[in-house]
Amino acid sequence: MARQIRLRTMAASAVAAVAIAAAPGTAVAAENQPPSQPLISDLKTSFMPCTSGDGRTYVAERPALTAVLRDPDAVPPVTVWVKAEFEAWWQDANGQEQRRSYTTEYDLPSGSAHRWTTPAEVPPNTVISWRVRATDGMAWSPWSSDGAGSPCEFVYDDKSPEKPVVTSAEYPEDSFQDGVGVYGHFTVDSPSEDVVAYGYQFIRGGHGTVKPEQPGGPAKITLLPPSSGAETLYVHAIDRAGRRSSDTLYRFFVKTGRAPIARWKLADAAGSSSAAAETGPTARTGTGVTFGTDAPRGTEQTTAVRLDGTGHGFLTPDTSVVKAGSTFAVSTWVRPEKLGDTMTVASQDTGAGPGFALGLAPKQTGATWSFAIGGARVSGGAPDVGEWAHLLGLYDAETGTARLYVNGTQTGEAQRAEPLAVVGDLQIGRAQGKYGYRDRWQGQISDVRVYDRMVMPDEVNILSYQEPQLRGHWSLESATDGLSPEADGGRPLHLGGGATIITATADDCAENPECVPGTPALSGNGHLELNGTTAFAETETAVVDTDDSFSIGARVRLADSEPDHPMTVLSQAGQNADAFRVRYVPDVHQWQLVMTHADQPGAPETVVSYVEAADGGEGQGHTVTVVYDDAADQIRLYVDGYTEPTSTASFTNAWKSTGPLQIGRAFTGGGWGEYLHGAVDEVRAFSGALSQIDTSWL
């Protein structure tokens, strides 16, 4: 107390000094002022704000009460020290009021937080009120509850809530129900009346918290199963004090996704007057429909149908397929013959126009794929004349959004959309207009499917998958008269410039002074050895169509740890330049994919992608693969089946090369160069884009 009196004296002296220095006629009070009334905003219950009434604080342990107290005389450099008196009260089980108070033991400077840990006699599950005031040793502040203030309240909850109960109409417990692409709604409820949230987690992914509308009420958890199989939902209840119950385990099983409600493969015999349905109704055809045309290669389809773009080029089942207000998806393969007009692949009448329309639309920047529903439109991708593409338009009634997938990839931004309110006949190849049908499709269509559920991304990938077709496989284990055979009897590789095939047990190097007796083969019993100056291998003609999707890869091992020049593993040229080449560049220790923008002398070329080479390409060697996806306008370089962010690039200027496939050299500066010094094995070429999984098996 002596210390406080000295400080308070200093304060009085300081105030007096201010009074002496003030201008004549200015009144300055030198008397002690009581501490300020504690502010409600400066009071905390276990670090939570001061609350009362229906919004009062619930705590899982007896709380610590804190209050920041201030004194108006504490004007720097003067320090004023204060104490706190806390008071708490409640009604006991007999209805008698109980009050407890506590005065802090130590003085703290003005502006400090004072603390009281409530005693063990504070009863659980009872409304406890509390307030606080301050003293500077000479005067008391008002209570925090006086005047415009109010008491703070809390309830100490010493019991955890009961475990929740889970039910679901779509996915009953311990049973196989519904399936992939169908939303499940799980109702969770607890017998405890103070539950304010439910935490949940699905064993195969998906977690979060849901809240009931009223404490103690039920809440809903939503799941869209991405795949079939067993699933377990873990749920716990959380009460107002933050206490959580033990977990409830809810097991259920998800079936595979339901088959389409309508499907027309459009692989009917030439001359057919209707399209048979695998599911759903048969579709009649107009006279502008021709069956028996080429199907998209690499799919299960054998033939496709062509529509001539006239008023007679259509198919219809003469009934609706998509239900009003429901989730649906429409999937198909398409191959347009023109791009300048809006063309519809599939739609459904409403009487006043199409309820939805899937197809393509012209834009100032070029044609684009399009899915329109209820005034909303999702668009993206770049159609090409004569090129097959897979389209899937999806409307999600649960979220009210429309999405478009092109060749398995979601394209454009999902849009909020209104569902179909009125439904009429489904149409293939046209859309209903004000004065009749319009936006007629000119080109080919294959495999139209309509689903009454969500189609999940993995399913879209399967629907849109075109299996690459093997165009050549050279195992490079033998050579006769300078020719190394193709595995299936196709065009062989011509060995030139000193290129040789050696085997794992070869010991005759008379014709190849660079070889090492007993050098292990990269794969199998032999591989191609190249000397880095003149040796190469080539086909007679082009192997892959470089302006369409292709994949080509090889196993390669460099002979030198630090080569003195870039070395090309694979390339295919036109008349004046390489369409592509895969090379190793020692200066930067990279595998690079180089694309030339035109078949012209001196045409610019770009390193479109690269992968860092940690070991320089020696040792066991590496598999390098280039994959060009024309539909997605993307090209990738894989090394041993892996990619890096730098190994994928957009590429839209592909051109068709007519020259043979080259192994071990590139066409640069008007002549051959970048000869490879090392070994090459297992060269494979495909039409179509391999997946990353496929490249890892090469």
Side-chain angles (χ1 to χ4, degrees):
M1 182 61 71
R3 181 185 182 193
Q4 182 174 351
I5 292 173
R6 286 197 299 271
L7 289 169
R8 187 55 69 175
T9 302
M10 289 174 60
S13 300
V15 172
V18 172
I20 294 171
T26 301
V28 177
E31 296 82 8
N32 176 65
Q33 302 179 79
S36 303
Q37 181 180 5
L39 299 175
I40 297 300
S41 60
D42 286 336
L43 310 185
K44 305 290 182 183
T45 303
S46 288
F47 305 104
M48 291 179 284
C50 170
T51 55
S52 61
D54 292 340
R56 67 177 61 94
T57 298
Y58 285 76
V59 292
E61 298 178 350
R62 290 183 176 86
L65 312 180
T66 58
V68 176
L69 304 180
R70 309 175 194 278
D71 191 295
D73 291 335
V75 179
V78 176
T79 300
V80 177
W81 296 66
V82 296
K83 283 187 176 183
E85 181 183 10
F86 291 89
E87 184 177 60
W89 64 96
W90 63 88
Q91 298 288 327
D92 64 18
N94 298 318
Q96 299 297 314
E97 183 180 86
Q98 301 291 326
R99 283 186 179 263
R100 302 291 185 272
S101 63
Y102 170 75
T103 301
T104 53
E105 183 176 355
Y106 300 104
D107 301 276
L108 296 175
S110 171
S112 300
H114 298 251
R115 176 187 176 93
W116 177 33
T117 300
T118 52
E121 58 191 305
V122 169
N125 305 310
T126 302
V127 176
I128 311 296
S129 303
W130 68 275
R131 61 182 182 174
V132 67
R133 64 177 179 172
T135 179
D136 60 6
M138 292 181 284
W140 287 93
S141 75
W143 286 102
S144 59
S145 59
D146 289 349
S150 62
C152 304
E153 295 180 347
F154 69 87
V155 174
Y156 160 48
D157 185 351
D158 66 343
K159 291 184 178 180
S160 297
E162 297 291 326
K163 290 171 56 175
V165 177
V166 182
T167 58
S168 174
E170 296 88 357
Y171 296 100
E173 191 170 15
D174 294 327
S175 64
F176 276 96
Q177 293 294 332
D178 232 312
V180 173
V182 175
Y183 279 98
H185 303 90
F186 301 83
T187 300
V188 291
D189 201 357
S190 171
S192 300
E193 297 181 354
D194 59 346
V195 170
V196 295
Y198 299 93
Y200 70 89
Q201 179 172 0
F202 290 96
I203 193 67
R204 293 195 296 170
H207 59 88
T209 302
V210 292
K211 297 182 179 181
E213 293 184 2
Q214 299 293 333
K220 287 190 179 297
I221 298 170
T222 301
L223 171 71
L224 181 60
S227 59
S228 60
E231 180 63 277
T232 302
L233 170 62
Y234 295 84
V235 187
H236 60 267
I238 305 170
D239 67 16
R240 290 172 293 194
R243 288 182 173 272
R244 56 174 286 174
S245 71
S246 56
D247 284 336
T248 294
L249 275 63
Y250 185 89
R251 297 182 178 88
F252 59 98
F253 302 89
V254 181
K255 293 181 179 179
T256 56
R258 293 197 299 260
I261 55 175
R263 181 185 181 187
W264 299 274
K265 290 186 175 181
L266 304 180
D268 304 82
S272 297
S273 59
S274 63
E278 185 170 279
T279 56
T282 298
R284 68 179 175 90
T285 65
T287 57
V289 175
T290 302
F291 288 101
T293 63
D294 292 339
R297 64 188 181 188
T299 70
E300 65 178 29
Q301 304 308 305
T302 55
T303 61
V305 68
R306 178 184 180 272
L307 277 59
D308 64 5
T310 71
H312 302 289
F314 68 91
L315 301 94
T316 179
D318 293 316
T319 186
S320 62
V321 177
V322 176
K323 295 181 180 179
S326 66
T327 293
F328 73 92
V330 180
S331 161
T332 184
W333 286 96
V334 295
R335 189 184 193 187
E337 294 179 357
K338 63 177 184 176
L339 301 178
D341 301 317
T342 299
M343 296 198 298
T344 298
V345 180
S347 68
Q348 185 162 291
D349 302 341
T350 65
F356 75 85
L358 177 67
L360 65 79
K363 293 176 63 177
Q364 290 183 347
T365 55
T368 183
W369 299 113
S370 170
F371 178 54
I373 175 173
R377 182 183 298 275
V378 187
S379 59
D384 286 331
V385 170
E387 181 179 300
W388 283 102
H390 184 269
L391 307 182
L392 187 140
L394 174 66
Y395 173 70
D396 182 351
E398 184 86 12
T399 61
T401 55
R403 300 187 184 97
L404 173 64
Y405 292 83
V406 178
N407 295 317
T409 301
Q410 185 173 339
T411 304
E413 296 290 334
Q415 300 291 324
R416 295 287 302 177
E418 295 295 328
L420 278 68
V422 179
V423 294
D425 295 345
L426 184 84
Q427 305 292 334
I428 299 174
R430 64 183 183 178
Q432 189 180 54
K434 185 176 181 180
Y435 301 106
Y437 289 101
R438 54 179 172 80
D439 302 340
R440 302 178 187 279
W441 181 264
Q442 182 177 329
Q444 291 171 270
I445 304 175
S446 179
D447 196 16
V448 176
R449 308 186 192 204
V450 182
Y451 296 83
D452 64 346
R453 62 176 179 87
M454 296 286 289
V455 178
M456 304 306 293
D458 286 349
E459 297 179 296
V460 180
N461 288 334
I462 293 172
L463 289 172
S464 62
Y465 181 66
Q466 286 183 277
E467 183 177 1
Q469 305 297 298
L470 184 64
R471 295 303 180 197
H473 174 202
W474 296 273
S475 58
L476 297 168
E477 295 190 349
S478 64
T480 303
D481 297 329
L483 299 177
S484 185
E486 196 274 330
D488 293 325
R491 54 197 141 186
L493 280 172
H494 295 254
L495 309 187
T500 60
I501 300 293
I502 70 162
T503 63
T505 58
D507 58 3
D508 183 5
C509 296
E511 296 182 3
N512 181 16
E514 300 266 345
C515 82
V516 177
T519 299
L522 278 176
S523 178
N525 295 321
H527 63 233
L528 175 68
E529 281 281 338
L530 302 172
N531 60 22
T533 55
T534 58
F536 67 95
E538 66 177 356
T539 56
E540 289 185 353
T541 58
V543 174
V544 294
D545 186 351
T546 55
D547 68 349
D548 200 354
S549 297
F550 72 87
S551 305
I552 186 165
R555 188 77 179 169
V556 58
R557 179 174 63 208
L558 305 183
D560 305 316
S561 59
E562 293 292 338
D564 60 3
H565 65 276
M567 299 186 298
T568 292
V569 182
L570 300 165
S571 67
Q572 186 169 296
Q575 296 298 316
N576 301 288
D578 286 327
F580 75 90
R581 67 180 182 272
V582 179
R583 67 183 184 181
Y584 177 74
V585 182
D587 291 347
V588 290
H589 300 287
Q590 290 177 351
W591 295 101
Q592 293 183 348
L593 171 60
V594 181
M595 302 293 287
T596 307
H597 294 263
D599 189 12
Q600 299 173 357
E605 58 183 31
T606 302
V607 177
V608 293
S609 57
Y610 63 89
V611 175
E612 301 292 343
D615 64 357
E618 299 173 283
Q620 297 300 314
H622 299 284
T623 297
V624 292
T625 310
V626 54
V627 177
Y628 176 51
D629 187 341
D630 184 33
D633 291 326
Q634 280 193 333
I635 195 161
R636 296 181 180 89
L637 177 63
Y638 294 91
V639 176
D640 297 328
Y642 296 97
T643 62
E644 297 179 2
T646 54
S647 63
T648 300
S650 296
F651 193 77
T652 58
N653 298 320
W655 51 273
K656 186 171 185 176
S657 65
T658 56
L661 174 67
Q662 300 289 329
I663 299 174
R665 66 178 183 176
F667 192 74
T668 61
W672 296 109
E674 294 192 358
Y675 283 92
L676 175 71
H677 187 199
V680 179
D681 208 351
E682 294 297 332
V683 178
R684 291 181 175 88
F686 300 82
S687 60
L690 291 173
S691 68
Q692 181 169 358
I693 293 177
D694 291 332
T695 65
S696 66
W697 288 96
L698 292 182

PDB file of all heavy atoms in Angstrom, residues 326-344:
ATOM      1  N   SER A 326     -35.392 -32.550 -62.509  1.00  0.00           N
ATOM      2  CA  SER A 326     -34.537 -33.625 -62.015  1.00  0.00           C
ATOM      3  C   SER A 326     -33.091 -33.456 -62.461  1.00  0.00           C
ATOM      4  O   SER A 326     -32.784 -32.726 -63.399  1.00  0.00           O
ATOM      5  CB  SER A 326     -35.058 -34.975 -62.512  1.00  0.00           C
ATOM      6  OG  SER A 326     -34.933 -35.060 -63.926  1.00  0.00           O
ATOM      7  N   THR A 327     -32.217 -34.179 -61.776  1.00  0.00           N
ATOM      8  CA  THR A 327     -30.824 -34.291 -62.192  1.00  0.00           C
ATOM      9  C   THR A 327     -30.751 -35.156 -63.446  1.00  0.00           C
ATOM     10  O   THR A 327     -31.434 -36.174 -63.547  1.00  0.00           O
ATOM     11  CB  THR A 327     -29.984 -34.921 -61.073  1.00  0.00           C
ATOM     12  OG1 THR A 327     -29.930 -34.018 -59.968  1.00  0.00           O
ATOM     13  CG2 THR A 327     -28.570 -35.224 -61.531  1.00  0.00           C
ATOM     14  N   PHE A 328     -29.916 -34.762 -64.414  1.00  0.00           N
ATOM     15  CA  PHE A 328     -29.757 -35.576 -65.614  1.00  0.00           C
ATOM     16  C   PHE A 328     -28.401 -35.283 -66.251  1.00  0.00           C
ATOM     17  O   PHE A 328     -27.757 -34.273 -65.968  1.00  0.00           O
ATOM     18  CB  PHE A 328     -30.881 -35.330 -66.619  1.00  0.00           C
ATOM     19  CG  PHE A 328     -30.800 -34.007 -67.331  1.00  0.00           C
ATOM     20  CD1 PHE A 328     -30.144 -33.878 -68.550  1.00  0.00           C
ATOM     21  CD2 PHE A 328     -31.367 -32.866 -66.776  1.00  0.00           C
ATOM     22  CE1 PHE A 328     -30.064 -32.655 -69.203  1.00  0.00           C
ATOM     23  CE2 PHE A 328     -31.294 -31.637 -67.412  1.00  0.00           C
ATOM     24  CZ  PHE A 328     -30.643 -31.529 -68.645  1.00  0.00           C
ATOM     25  N   ALA A 329     -27.997 -36.181 -67.139  1.00  0.00           N
ATOM     26  CA  ALA A 329     -26.771 -35.994 -67.919  1.00  0.00           C
ATOM     27  C   ALA A 329     -27.006 -36.576 -69.302  1.00  0.00           C
ATOM     28  O   ALA A 329     -27.706 -37.577 -69.459  1.00  0.00           O
ATOM     29  CB  ALA A 329     -25.585 -36.668 -67.247  1.00  0.00           C
ATOM     30  N   VAL A 330     -26.438 -35.928 -70.316  1.00  0.00           N
ATOM     31  CA  VAL A 330     -26.514 -36.397 -71.694  1.00  0.00           C
ATOM     32  C   VAL A 330     -25.093 -36.523 -72.214  1.00  0.00           C
ATOM     33  O   VAL A 330     -24.292 -35.580 -72.121  1.00  0.00           O
ATOM     34  CB  VAL A 330     -27.317 -35.432 -72.584  1.00  0.00           C
ATOM     35  CG1 VAL A 330     -27.375 -35.958 -74.017  1.00  0.00           C
ATOM     36  CG2 VAL A 330     -28.726 -35.254 -72.040  1.00  0.00           C
ATOM     37  N   SER A 331     -24.766 -37.703 -72.754  1.00  0.00           N
ATOM     38  CA  SER A 331     -23.411 -38.009 -73.200  1.00  0.00           C
ATOM     39  C   SER A 331     -23.445 -38.494 -74.641  1.00  0.00           C
ATOM     40  O   SER A 331     -24.349 -39.247 -75.027  1.00  0.00           O
ATOM     41  CB  SER A 331     -22.816 -39.098 -72.287  1.00  0.00           C
ATOM     42  OG  SER A 331     -21.727 -39.744 -72.896  1.00  0.00           O
ATOM     43  N   THR A 332     -22.444 -38.091 -75.466  1.00  0.00           N
ATOM     44  CA  THR A 332     -22.395 -38.541 -76.853  1.00  0.00           C
ATOM     45  C   THR A 332     -21.037 -38.245 -77.474  1.00  0.00           C
ATOM     46  O   THR A 332     -20.299 -37.378 -77.004  1.00  0.00           O
ATOM     47  CB  THR A 332     -23.492 -37.858 -77.692  1.00  0.00           C
ATOM     48  OG1 THR A 332     -23.484 -38.381 -79.008  1.00  0.00           O
ATOM     49  CG2 THR A 332     -23.282 -36.361 -77.750  1.00  0.00           C
ATOM     50  N   TRP A 333     -20.721 -38.991 -78.539  1.00  0.00           N
ATOM     51  CA  TRP A 333     -19.585 -38.692 -79.407  1.00  0.00           C
ATOM     52  C   TRP A 333     -20.080 -37.920 -80.616  1.00  0.00           C
ATOM     53  O   TRP A 333     -21.142 -38.248 -81.175  1.00  0.00           O
ATOM     54  CB  TRP A 333     -18.918 -39.984 -79.890  1.00  0.00           C
ATOM     55  CG  TRP A 333     -18.117 -40.690 -78.851  1.00  0.00           C
ATOM     56  CD1 TRP A 333     -18.514 -41.723 -78.051  1.00  0.00           C
ATOM     57  CD2 TRP A 333     -16.758 -40.420 -78.494  1.00  0.00           C
ATOM     58  NE1 TRP A 333     -17.507 -42.116 -77.218  1.00  0.00           N
ATOM     59  CE2 TRP A 333     -16.404 -41.346 -77.473  1.00  0.00           C
ATOM     60  CE3 TRP A 333     -15.800 -39.503 -78.931  1.00  0.00           C
ATOM     61  CZ2 TRP A 333     -15.134 -41.355 -76.886  1.00  0.00           C
ATOM     62  CZ3 TRP A 333     -14.543 -39.526 -78.356  1.00  0.00           C
ATOM     63  CH2 TRP A 333     -14.212 -40.430 -77.348  1.00  0.00           C
ATOM     64  N   VAL A 334     -19.336 -36.895 -81.030  1.00  0.00           N
ATOM     65  CA  VAL A 334     -19.758 -36.070 -82.161  1.00  0.00           C
ATOM     66  C   VAL A 334     -18.567 -35.750 -83.059  1.00  0.00           C
ATOM     67  O   VAL A 334     -17.422 -35.676 -82.598  1.00  0.00           O
ATOM     68  CB  VAL A 334     -20.423 -34.758 -81.692  1.00  0.00           C
ATOM     69  CG1 VAL A 334     -21.724 -35.032 -80.962  1.00  0.00           C
ATOM     70  CG2 VAL A 334     -19.476 -33.951 -80.811  1.00  0.00           C
ATOM     71  N   ARG A 335     -18.875 -35.540 -84.338  1.00  0.00           N
ATOM     72  CA  ARG A 335     -17.839 -35.185 -85.313  1.00  0.00           C
ATOM     73  C   ARG A 335     -18.441 -34.182 -86.300  1.00  0.00           C
ATOM     74  O   ARG A 335     -19.113 -34.564 -87.257  1.00  0.00           O
ATOM     75  CB  ARG A 335     -17.362 -36.435 -86.042  1.00  0.00           C
ATOM     76  CG  ARG A 335     -16.138 -36.228 -86.927  1.00  0.00           C
ATOM     77  CD  ARG A 335     -15.819 -37.518 -87.662  1.00  0.00           C
ATOM     78  NE  ARG A 335     -14.510 -37.498 -88.294  1.00  0.00           N
ATOM     79  CZ  ARG A 335     -14.068 -38.450 -89.108  1.00  0.00           C
ATOM     80  NH1 ARG A 335     -14.843 -39.497 -89.384  1.00  0.00           N
ATOM     81  NH2 ARG A 335     -12.871 -38.357 -89.640  1.00  0.00           N
ATOM     82  N   PRO A 336     -18.244 -32.892 -86.080  1.00  0.00           N
ATOM     83  CA  PRO A 336     -18.892 -31.881 -86.933  1.00  0.00           C
ATOM     84  C   PRO A 336     -18.245 -31.784 -88.304  1.00  0.00           C
ATOM     85  O   PRO A 336     -17.042 -32.015 -88.462  1.00  0.00           O
ATOM     86  CB  PRO A 336     -18.688 -30.588 -86.144  1.00  0.00           C
ATOM     87  CG  PRO A 336     -17.421 -30.821 -85.371  1.00  0.00           C
ATOM     88  CD  PRO A 336     -17.423 -32.281 -85.017  1.00  0.00           C
ATOM     89  N   GLU A 337     -19.058 -31.389 -89.301  1.00  0.00           N
ATOM     90  CA  GLU A 337     -18.553 -31.158 -90.654  1.00  0.00           C
ATOM     91  C   GLU A 337     -18.427 -29.677 -90.974  1.00  0.00           C
ATOM     92  O   GLU A 337     -17.891 -29.310 -92.020  1.00  0.00           O
ATOM     93  CB  GLU A 337     -19.478 -31.834 -91.671  1.00  0.00           C
ATOM     94  CG  GLU A 337     -19.478 -33.350 -91.571  1.00  0.00           C
ATOM     95  CD  GLU A 337     -20.408 -34.003 -92.567  1.00  0.00           C
ATOM     96  OE1 GLU A 337     -21.113 -33.264 -93.313  1.00  0.00           O
ATOM     97  OE2 GLU A 337     -20.453 -35.245 -92.609  1.00  0.00           O
ATOM     98  N   LYS A 338     -18.921 -28.817 -90.069  1.00  0.00           N
ATOM     99  CA  LYS A 338     -18.779 -27.374 -90.230  1.00  0.00           C
ATOM    100  C   LYS A 338     -18.816 -26.738 -88.850  1.00  0.00           C
ATOM    101  O   LYS A 338     -19.222 -27.375 -87.866  1.00  0.00           O
ATOM    102  CB  LYS A 338     -19.883 -26.798 -91.119  1.00  0.00           C
ATOM    103  CG  LYS A 338     -21.287 -26.960 -90.535  1.00  0.00           C
ATOM    104  CD  LYS A 338     -22.332 -26.305 -91.416  1.00  0.00           C
ATOM    105  CE  LYS A 338     -23.719 -26.394 -90.777  1.00  0.00           C
ATOM    106  NZ  LYS A 338     -24.745 -25.688 -91.576  1.00  0.00           N
ATOM    107  N   LEU A 339     -18.423 -25.456 -88.776  1.00  0.00           N
ATOM    108  CA  LEU A 339     -18.344 -24.787 -87.480  1.00  0.00           C
ATOM    109  C   LEU A 339     -19.032 -23.429 -87.454  1.00  0.00           C
ATOM    110  O   LEU A 339     -19.137 -22.820 -86.395  1.00  0.00           O
ATOM    111  CB  LEU A 339     -16.865 -24.599 -87.073  1.00  0.00           C
ATOM    112  CG  LEU A 339     -16.011 -25.855 -86.950  1.00  0.00           C
ATOM    113  CD1 LEU A 339     -14.579 -25.472 -86.592  1.00  0.00           C
ATOM    114  CD2 LEU A 339     -16.575 -26.807 -85.907  1.00  0.00           C
ATOM    115  N   GLY A 340     -19.501 -22.944 -88.553  1.00  0.00           N
ATOM    116  CA  GLY A 340     -19.971 -21.562 -88.601  1.00  0.00           C
ATOM    117  C   GLY A 340     -21.339 -21.316 -88.019  1.00  0.00           C
ATOM    118  O   GLY A 340     -21.727 -20.161 -87.809  1.00  0.00           O
ATOM    119  N   ASP A 341     -22.130 -22.366 -87.765  1.00  0.00           N
ATOM    120  CA  ASP A 341     -23.503 -22.198 -87.280  1.00  0.00           C
ATOM    121  C   ASP A 341     -23.696 -22.893 -85.942  1.00  0.00           C
ATOM    122  O   ASP A 341     -22.954 -23.812 -85.587  1.00  0.00           O
ATOM    123  CB  ASP A 341     -24.501 -22.790 -88.289  1.00  0.00           C
ATOM    124  CG  ASP A 341     -24.400 -22.134 -89.656  1.00  0.00           C
ATOM    125  OD1 ASP A 341     -24.282 -20.894 -89.702  1.00  0.00           O
ATOM    126  OD2 ASP A 341     -24.425 -22.865 -90.665  1.00  0.00           O
ATOM    127  N   THR A 342     -24.731 -22.447 -85.209  1.00  0.00           N
ATOM    128  CA  THR A 342     -25.133 -23.185 -84.017  1.00  0.00           C
ATOM    129  C   THR A 342     -25.694 -24.534 -84.444  1.00  0.00           C
ATOM    130  O   THR A 342     -26.553 -24.606 -85.325  1.00  0.00           O
ATOM    131  CB  THR A 342     -26.199 -22.403 -83.233  1.00  0.00           C
ATOM    132  OG1 THR A 342     -25.653 -21.153 -82.810  1.00  0.00           O
ATOM    133  CG2 THR A 342     -26.657 -23.183 -82.010  1.00  0.00           C
ATOM    134  N   MET A 343     -25.206 -25.604 -83.846  1.00  0.00           N
ATOM    135  CA  MET A 343     -25.685 -26.938 -84.186  1.00  0.00           C
ATOM    136  C   MET A 343     -25.940 -27.717 -82.894  1.00  0.00           C
ATOM    137  O   MET A 343     -25.102 -27.713 -81.991  1.00  0.00           O
ATOM    138  CB  MET A 343     -24.674 -27.682 -85.057  1.00  0.00           C
ATOM    139  CG  MET A 343     -24.440 -27.051 -86.416  1.00  0.00           C
ATOM    140  SD  MET A 343     -23.666 -28.184 -87.607  1.00  0.00           S
ATOM    141  CE  MET A 343     -22.108 -28.534 -86.806  1.00  0.00           C
ATOM    142  N   THR A 344     -27.072 -28.370 -82.823  1.00  0.00           N
ATOM    143  CA  THR A 344     -27.489 -29.094 -81.631  1.00  0.00           C
ATOM    144  C   THR A 344     -27.356 -30.594 -81.842  1.00  0.00           C
ATOM    145  O   THR A 344     -27.845 -31.131 -82.833  1.00  0.00           O
ATOM    146  CB  THR A 344     -28.945 -28.752 -81.266  1.00  0.00           C
ATOM    147  OG1 THR A 344     -29.038 -27.359 -80.967  1.00  0.00           O
ATOM    148  CG2 THR A 344     -29.399 -29.551 -80.054  1.00  0.00           C
TER     149      THR A 344
END
